[in-house]
């Protein structure tokens, strides 16, 4: 689903040790909290090119406006960072917007001015990681209808690695909800005669 080989999957599963277990039906995650932490410590981020924008509008409004423009330009926007975390697990007041797109967009005519990244109220990233859209498409995490939110693990990583004083606490709150949803999905799938892999 994410464009890797069976050999890569097998190698990753061996490295994960007891976090996952092989069964006749595939690989089962035994400890989603440890798996999320393990991934977050090793993932280097989406990388790519980042563009800073500044606006006086509220952060959520800025992010939704940029996502709307990106949708019109057909560059596949994915909302991440504070705003996505607020949609998934409301806890932290968003202080900066983050949007992934598969091409650059110009927001100068939409109430924004270009800004250095450290001063930006919104960051648009054209990521180097090609799996962002694939992992979002195969997930089954409930999100709002008005925006497409990045995979919750990516949102968790972005919040965890931001510079706000409450970022780590916000990331931990999000992680609890994400791994709790994993268990809920696993229980539901097992009750339906299937298992989540």
């Amino acid at each position: 689903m994410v464009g890797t080989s069976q050999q890569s999957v097998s190698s990753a599963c061996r490295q994960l040790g007891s976090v996952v277990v092989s069964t006749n039906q595939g690989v089962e995650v035994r400890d989603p909290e440890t798996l999320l932490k393990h991934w977050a410590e090793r993932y280097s981020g989406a990388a790519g090119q980042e563009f800073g924008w500044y606006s006086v509008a509220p952060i959520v409004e800025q992010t939704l406006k940029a996502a709307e423009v990106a949708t019109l330009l057909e560059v596949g926007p994915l909302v991440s960072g504070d705003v996505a975390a607020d949609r998934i697990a409301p806890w932290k007041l968003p202080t900066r917007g983050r949007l992934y797109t598969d091409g650059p967009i110009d927001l100068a005519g939409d109430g924004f001015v270009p800004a250095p990244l450290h001063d930006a109220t919104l960051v648009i990233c054209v990521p180097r990681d090609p799996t962002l859209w694939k992992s979002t498409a195969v997930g089954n995490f409930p999100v709002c209808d008005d925006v497409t939110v990045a995979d919750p693990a990516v949102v968790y990583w972005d919040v965890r690695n931001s510079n706000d004083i409450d970022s780590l606490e916000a990331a931990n709150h999000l992680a609890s909800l994400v791994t709790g949803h994993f268990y809920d999905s696993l229980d539901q799938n097992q009750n339906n005669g299937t298992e989540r892999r």
Side-chain angles (χ1 to χ4, degrees):
M1 285 186 253
V2 294
T4 192
S5 67
Q6 180 60 47
Q7 290 80 6
S8 292
V9 173
S10 296
S11 175
C13 288
R14 280 194 302 274
Q15 292 175 27
L16 288 170
S18 62
V19 176
V20 297
V21 62
S22 294
T23 69
N24 290 337
Q25 290 80 31
V27 176
E28 182 177 326
V29 175
R30 292 287 189 192
D31 186 353
E33 292 95 344
T34 300
L35 181 62
L36 182 63
K37 182 179 177 186
H38 175 88
W39 172 81
E41 289 171 352
R42 286 156 182 80
Y43 183 58
S44 58
Q49 254 188 314
E50 293 186 329
F51 304 90
W53 294 93
Y54 181 86
S55 171
V56 295
I59 299 299
V60 173
E61 184 181 319
Q62 290 182 39
T63 306
L64 296 180
K65 179 62 179 176
E68 180 186 327
V69 172
T71 299
L72 291 172
L73 296 173
E74 299 180 345
V75 290
L78 294 176
V79 175
S80 190
D82 290 357
V83 175
D86 187 54
R87 291 301 175 100
I88 296 170
W91 185 86
K92 179 183 187 297
L93 183 66
T95 57
R96 177 181 290 189
R98 183 166 187 83
L99 191 68
Y100 291 111
T101 61
D102 58 15
I105 59 174
D106 185 355
L107 297 172
D110 296 287
F112 293 85
V113 294
L117 291 174
H118 63 274
D119 291 330
T121 55
L122 174 71
V123 174
I124 305 288
C125 178
V126 181
R128 188 179 306 139
D129 181 354
T131 67
L132 292 185
W133 285 268
K134 292 177 181 179
S135 63
T136 298
V138 299
N140 66 343
F141 203 88
V143 295
C144 295
D145 294 332
D146 59 342
V147 292
T148 303
V149 175
D151 184 297
V154 173
V155 175
Y156 165 76
W157 192 94
D158 283 336
V159 171
R160 187 175 187 252
N161 288 280
S162 65
N163 295 325
D164 293 342
I165 195 167
D166 58 352
S167 293
L168 189 56
E169 193 173 353
N172 289 339
H173 182 76
L174 180 59
S176 296
L177 190 105
V178 169
T179 54
H181 174 73
F182 178 92
Y183 284 125
D184 292 344
S185 296
L186 181 61
D187 291 342
Q188 183 179 4
N189 288 337
Q190 286 176 338
N191 290 337
N192 291 337
T194 61
E195 294 185 63
R196 182 181 172 104
R197 303 281 173 251

